[in-house]
Structures are given as structure tokens and as C-alpha cells.
Amino acid sequence: MKKTIELLKNNNELITIEDELDIYLEISHIAYAEVKKSHGGKALLFTNVVDKKNNKKFEEPVLMNVFGSYRRCELLFGRTIESIADEITSLLHMKPPTGIADKISMASQMFALKNVFPKRVKGKAQCQEVQFLHDAIDLTSLPVLTTWEQDGGPFITMGQVYTQSLDGDMVNLGMYRLQVYDKNHLGMHWQIHKDSSHFFDQYQKAGKKMPVSIAIGGNPLYTWCATAPLPYGVNELLMYGLITKTPAKIIKSLTTPLYIPTDVDYVIEGWVDTNELKTEGPFGDHTGYYTLEEPYPVMEVSAITMKEEKVFLATVVGKPPLEDKYMGWATGKIFFPLLKTTAPDLLDYHMPENAGFHNLIIGKMKTLYKGHAKQFMHAFWGVGQMSFVKHAIFVDENAPKLDNYHALATYILNRFTPKSMFITEGILDALDHSSPETLVGGKLGIDATAAHVIDAPQYIDDDLLLKKVKAIIPSVVDLRQYMTRTKNPITVISLVKTQTCKNHFQILEALSVYLRVVVFIDFEKNDIDNPYMLVWRVTNNIDAQRDIFINNLMVCIDGTNKNKLDNYDREWPDDVTCTPRVIASLKQRGIWNFDDTLYKKYQLS
């Protein structure tokens, strides 16, 4: 962490904040706003950290937004992201040597791989300089942040969670939120599809407690590796060795059989009783919504160790854009070669951050035969973390760059018909709130690889169209047309919902001469002139099987919050928003440095 701080300082990528700030809401609110600035703002080092509720001052600083820009990512990786992807591509396509030159080249590559594997060391590591055991264990002595007002408590958000299979043959490094219940208990948010959850099942069937070691800090690449979508059973620390050309030095935990990097700042060790579950949450998550209370495993802490001089690493999640935008960018680039092994004709893919990553993927492919795009949809929905993707759009090789949103949307809308859509059902991320049941729901695929001959609707301005719509649907409040120069303009309609949007769609068929793609949103909490946040809202809120309605010309998308009108029986979560009194206090003290235009654009409250 010290080296990281110096690296960021030397490259003008760090702001040090010496004002006294509380672990309850204040620090997280500042970090939340900072990353929304141009180019991700700066990394933030908070050096005067307190817990006002318990009248406590922490000796260590808190570091946030460390990955929060493209430039900082490459500084931390120590090389270009493309170079890592190229190296993986080279390894995947390694062929038997045909001559002396090939043999020398392969020998060089194989020799470099010796540094991929973590190296076990003995003795006392930096991360074990200070040790707390038995009654001395106290999680509240760490500056763990409470990010949002409705959160169930403080959460560790940048923890490296080390686990192993029951037989010890497989190890896993993952990043999961960890709720602090009291001095010696943590909630483990192990979603059912995650590797640690699979290990948990093994220990539960054997009737044994499960060892866990959690590290915080050290080289930030350890934390990134914890998010890497490697195949089940592959040690994520291998990526650290591949990227840095230096093996991760690891040492055995004091009270568990697990090994952790020697230079992390903190280690929290413990055991999970597989017969005990405890309510975890709520938590303002990266979807921009709160995930609600659910039972999850609990870890009883058996040791806390740390460096003499340590830095506490944390992140903040909520509405986009956030630090995960840049971490996700690096992950997507690096693991593209592995994805191509499943879909070899894939040319590129992109997951817009304002769609919450899993809510939308856009792929560019080389189309070779009829139905090829649908084959890709099935491939994506059946492989690793891609299986959680809700909506997938595929374009051909002639499409614009996938992050040129206006040009790409124009290209897609000029080729689209309702027949381009493919709706099915599959697994969903545990954080998804929109579907009628947890963990499974509707998925939408759009094949925009082929152009269809279609006629554009008649155009009339927003005011006139709104007047016509309000005449037949009085609950409509406002209307805005987007992409009006395409053959499939998008009409966003805000309303106060008193009946199902399916009923509204059937009524709107009378105006089909003016309409092609209709999106309904709630009037409350939405800005109809803010397409960035509308994409966030709608991709979060729809279940393709329930919320998409089609006729020969028109497509309707119900992006409203769901309730009993929609036969929705689950609890609908609240948006993640900043607490106004906290922002008012920060402004009064001259600490809040954030443009009101951006505040409104990203709907901080």
C-alpha cells in the first residue's frame, strides 16, 4: 500500500484529505462523488478517520478509488492491459516448435511461467507483525465503512477472501462483501453460484467447519485478482504471477490452514459453522439498488493480524459510474482471449457500466451462417460469469466501435425488427431484483447482425405526440423521443402507473403509425431527459419474459418498478442515494467538492 500511495502521488493521481471524516457515510459519500468526475477523478487518501458514534479515532488512513480510472489501472498493473491479453492469447495458441528459433521462443515462454505459481515462505511475515487472538479480537478496531444509510451495518468492501475445498486440493480467492456483526463475527455474502459457496457445500455435507482467511490491502493486484473470472478450481493468484512476472509470496495463516500474501495490510482469520446462517444486509450494491436481507453463512474470527504501519483499502458501490467500471474494463480486456475459446468468431464485446455490466452485453461477431448470433447467445448464457447476463445484442463486423454509443445505436435501430428478438429463461445474478423469483428469470437476445427492410414511422414532435398519448392514457406525465432519425425511434413515456403497462401498450397500438420502440418509466425518481440513467433504470428493472410486449411493428418495454399490479410478490428495493444531511454537513465544512450538474446527471439523491 505504501508503494501504491507513492506511485499514485508521483503520477498526480492521489488527493490526500486531512479533514476529520467519519467512517459512517461521510468518507464513502466523498469517494462516491469523486469517481464520477471526469476520467474517474483521483484516488483518495483519508488520513484523519474517526468513528463519531463510538468516539474513536483510527491511527491508519483509508485509501479509496485506487482503480478508478483507466490510467490508474495501468499504473497498478505496471503494463498495458492489452499486453496481458496478448500474452494470454499467445499461451492459448502455443504450438509444438518446428525449428530452433521456435524452440528457443517456447523455452523462453515456459521459463517465464515459473513465476506464475505462488511461492510459500516460512517465518513471520509483515502481515503478522501485530497479532490479536482470543479476547483481544475486535473487528470494530478496524475503520470499516458504513456506506449507505439503509445498510445493515459496516461492510468490508475490498476483502480478499481465501478459501479451499474440503480436501485442500483447490483454493479460491474471491471478493465478497463482508458485514461486521460484532467484535468477532462477519457475514459472508457467498452467492449460490460462487466458488466459495461450492466449497461451503462440501464442508456442510461433511459436517465440518470451513476455514476462511480474509486479507485487506497489500499490492492492489491481489484485490483485482479476487475479481478475476477464472474457471472453477483455478487459483486466482496465478494471474498475479502472470501479470507481474513475480510469484506471489504467501504464508500460512496463524489459525487456519490457508495461505495469504505476506505483504497484505490486514488478515482476518476464522471458521464458518456450516450449520449456522444469519441475516445479512441490506446493502447498497453495484446495481444501484439495495440488496435486501437474506440468510448467509457467518464466520467466527479466530485471529486478526496486521502490519505495524497499515493502510485500510475500501471501495464504494452504487449507481454508475464507479470504480468497478475501470476494474471491469481491465477484466474484459484481459479475459477476452479466454472467451474466444468458447466463441471463436467473436471480434469484440463491451459491457456498458450504466447497464450494471451483467444487465447488458454488446458483442461484435463474424457471422458465418443463419442463426449464428443465436448460437452465440446460448454460448454466452452457458459459460461462467457470462451466464448471468440478462440482455445481449450482437452486431456484425461492419458495425461501429462498440463504445461509440450513438453510432452503434443508430446502426442497430436501422436494422431492427421485432423478429430480431429472442426471449428465453436462465439463471440470474443473486443481486437481480426484477424477476418474479430469485436466481432465475427472462433473458433477451437481439440479433442485429442482419439488416431488415423496414419503414420508419411518421414523425411528429414531442408535444404533439404527448398530447395524443395523454388523450388515450391520462396517467401519462411526459414523453421524449430519442434516435428519431432512425427507422426505429425510441419513445420514452413517464407515467404514474395505475394499471399494467401491457394494457397501456395495447391502447397505444392505435398510434402505431408514430411509434416503434416504446419504453415506459415511472414519473417519480426518473429524469426523462437523462438517457444515461434511463439505461441504468430500465436494464435493471425488466424481466424479458414479463416486461417486453411485441406486435408486428412495435416493441414495448416496461421499465417501471413492479408491484402487485404486475403480480410481483417480492419486495422491491430502494435506490441507493446519498444522505442529504451528510452532504449538507460536508458542504458546510468546505469538504464537498462536486459539481451540481454532475450531481443531477448521476442522480446522487
Side-chain angles (χ1 to χ4, degrees):
M1 286 280 92
K2 278 192 169 183
K3 289 180 180 178
T4 297
I5 289 168
E6 286 304 309
L7 176 69
L8 295 172
K9 280 183 179 177
N10 293 338
N11 285 275
N12 193 30
E13 287 286 342
L14 182 73
I15 295 174
T16 299
I17 300 177
E18 297 177 352
D19 302 86
E20 182 181 277
L21 287 164
D22 197 351
I23 58 173
Y24 182 75
L25 305 185
E26 289 187 344
I27 289 174
S28 56
H29 278 34
I30 292 171
Y32 185 64
E34 179 68 24
V35 74
K36 289 174 166 52
K37 293 179 180 178
S38 177
H39 306 295
K42 304 287 186 181
L44 301 175
L45 184 68
F46 300 92
T47 60
N48 192 354
V49 180
V50 300
D51 176 0
K52 291 180 183 176
K53 181 180 177 181
N54 296 299
N55 194 29
K56 184 182 297 184
K57 180 175 173 60
F58 298 94
E59 62 181 36
E60 63 265 68
V62 172
L63 180 64
M64 299 188 74
N65 199 17
V66 65
F67 283 101
S69 75
Y70 299 123
R71 183 166 185 252
R72 287 201 291 283
C73 276
E74 293 203 329
L75 283 173
L76 297 176
F77 277 87
R79 55 192 288 197
T80 66
I81 303 301
E82 286 77 11
S83 71
I84 304 168
D86 290 343
E87 187 171 349
I88 292 174
T89 300
S90 177
L91 290 171
L92 290 171
H93 294 90
M94 191 178 289
K95 297 178 181 179
T98 56
I100 295 296
D102 283 351
K103 288 180 180 179
I104 293 173
S105 175
M106 178 174 285
S108 175
Q109 284 182 294
M110 299 306 292
F111 183 76
L113 288 177
K114 71 180 178 62
N115 291 321
V116 166
F117 301 95
K119 182 180 179 181
R120 294 185 176 185
V121 298
K122 294 182 178 180
K124 185 178 177 182
Q126 288 177 289
C127 64
Q128 296 171 339
E129 289 173 340
V130 181
Q131 300 178 7
F132 297 96
L133 301 166
H134 310 300
D135 293 341
I137 293 168
D138 185 2
L139 290 169
T140 67
S141 67
L142 278 58
V144 184
L145 307 182
T146 300
T147 308
W148 304 113
E149 193 165 18
Q150 292 184 36
D151 281 358
F155 284 82
I156 295 170
T157 51
M158 277 287 205
Q160 309 155 34
V161 181
Y162 294 83
T163 56
Q164 67 181 26
S165 59
L166 179 63
D167 58 14
D169 288 346
M170 290 189 291
V171 296
N172 178 255
L173 166 58
M175 190 167 83
Y176 316 97
R177 71 186 196 224
L178 305 159
Q179 182 173 353
V180 176
Y181 292 126
D182 52 39
K183 289 185 176 183
N184 63 337
H185 290 92
L186 281 173
M188 318 300 289
H189 192 256
W190 289 338
Q191 299 167 29
I192 195 170
H193 305 113
K194 303 296 184 180
D195 287 356
S196 290
S197 182
H198 298 327
F199 291 167
F200 176 86
D201 293 340
Q202 295 173 13
Y203 286 89
Q204 189 175 55
K205 289 176 182 176
K208 294 184 177 181
K209 290 186 176 182
M210 177 177 172
V212 181
S213 288
I214 299 158
I216 302 169
N219 190 315
L221 286 184
Y222 301 143
T223 302
W224 176 83
C225 287
T227 70
L230 287 171
Y232 175 66
V234 177
N235 186 349
E236 283 76 9
L237 282 181
L238 294 174
M239 287 301 302
Y240 176 87
L242 180 72
I243 293 165
T244 65
K245 306 304 178 189
T246 304
K249 293 181 179 179
I250 56 176
I251 193 163
K252 184 182 173 298
S253 301
L254 297 183
T255 61
T256 76
L258 296 156
Y259 283 75
I260 70 278
T262 59
D263 60 336
V264 295
D265 289 59
Y266 305 82
V267 182
I268 304 168
E269 305 173 14
W271 296 81
V272 171
D273 185 340
T274 54
N275 293 313
E276 179 186 1
L277 298 176
K278 186 172 181 178
T279 298
E280 189 265 3
F283 179 72
D285 222 313
H286 75 88
T287 59
Y289 284 85
Y290 283 92
T291 48
L292 303 175
E293 293 180 333
E294 284 189 278
Y296 276 97
V298 181
M299 183 178 95
E300 183 172 1
V301 179
S302 53
I304 298 176
T305 70
M306 59 187 72
K307 290 180 177 179
E308 288 278 3
E309 296 184 43
K310 60 270 184 189
V311 177
F312 191 85
L313 185 64
T315 191
V316 58
V317 290
K319 292 176 183 172
L322 288 168
E323 190 173 1
D324 57 7
K325 165 184 176 177
Y326 304 98
M327 297 179 76
W329 163 76
T331 300
K333 291 279 188 184
I334 290 170
F335 286 94
F336 180 63
L338 289 178
L339 188 58
K340 278 181 69 72
T341 62
T342 302
D345 297 308
L346 184 67
L347 302 175
D348 195 8
Y349 79 101
H350 178 65
M351 302 175 83
E353 83 272 358
N354 58 324
F357 300 103
H358 281 148
N359 285 334
L360 176 63
I361 185 169
I362 307 168
K364 183 183 287 190
M365 59 181 292
K366 184 178 181 181
T367 48
L368 301 178
Y369 41 81
K370 188 176 180 179
H372 200 177
K374 285 189 174 65
Q375 183 185 30
F376 264 46
M377 294 171 198
H378 287 295
F380 271 57
W381 288 330
V383 58
Q385 292 193 27
M386 284 294 177
S387 60
F388 301 120
V389 169
K390 287 174 64 175
H391 312 112
I393 304 174
F394 286 95
V395 294
D396 66 343
E397 56 265 46
N398 299 314
K401 288 185 65 176
L402 300 184
D403 58 358
N404 183 349
Y405 294 142
H406 190 273
L408 183 67
T410 300
Y411 189 83
I412 293 168
L413 291 169
N414 280 332
R415 303 159 76 83
F416 173 80
T417 73
K419 292 181 180 179
S420 307
M421 304 174 78
F422 173 63
I423 296 175
T424 185
E425 185 179 67
I427 66 168
L428 297 176
D429 192 289
L431 303 183
D432 181 79
H433 64 266
S434 64
S435 294
E437 57 181 312
T438 59
L439 303 177
V440 65
K443 291 178 178 283
L444 168 67
I446 296 177
D447 179 1
T449 60
H452 296 275
V453 179
I454 46 179
D455 296 322
Q458 293 182 30
Y459 173 76
I460 55 177
D461 65 33
D462 288 354
D463 291 339
L464 183 54
L465 184 55
L466 175 60
K467 185 176 180 180
K468 290 180 179 292
V469 172
K470 281 179 70 72
I472 55 178
I473 307 176
S475 59
V476 166
V477 178
D478 206 352
L479 173 152
R480 199 71 72 243
Q481 296 178 88
Y482 290 93
M483 309 303 293
T484 55
R485 295 187 179 183
T486 69
K487 294 179 179 179
N488 283 284
I490 299 171
T491 304
V492 180
I493 299 173
S494 67
L495 48 69
V496 177
K497 191 166 71 173
T498 57
Q499 56 180 295
T500 67
C501 289
K502 185 174 184 179
N503 290 343
H504 294 325
F505 174 63
Q506 291 168 346
I507 295 170
L508 279 182
E509 291 189 52
L511 298 177
S512 61
V513 66
Y514 307 112
L515 303 169
R516 286 296 178 268
V517 180
V518 176
V519 181
F520 285 111
I521 60 169
D522 295 300
F523 172 68
E524 186 181 11
K525 294 186 178 179
N526 288 301
D527 178 358
I528 203 166
D529 294 308
N530 187 343
Y532 182 93
M533 294 307 297
L534 289 177
V535 169
W536 165 76
R537 178 75 72 185
V538 173
T539 56
N540 256 307
N541 276 12
I542 64 174
D543 176 273
Q545 288 186 312
R546 179 195 59 215
D547 298 327
I548 295 178
F549 319 115
I550 304 169
N551 66 21
N552 289 332
L553 290 174
M554 292 169 53
V555 173
C556 174
I557 300 170
D558 177 4
T560 63
N561 292 3
K562 304 306 181 295
N563 54 38
K564 290 183 179 179
L565 285 173
D566 310 287
N567 294 318
Y568 183 89
D569 297 322
R570 298 168 64 191
E571 181 181 354
W572 193 269
D574 284 342
D575 294 10
V576 172
T577 57
C578 293
T579 300
R581 60 178 170 76
V582 172
I583 293 176
S585 173
L586 294 171
K587 283 183 176 180
Q588 186 179 23
R589 291 147 61 192
I591 304 170
W592 184 261
N593 178 25
F594 192 61
D595 187 281
D596 285 345
T597 304
L598 293 177
Y599 186 98
K600 181 179 179 182
K601 177 180 178 180
Y602 296 121
Q603 298 179 357
L604 269 66
S605 65

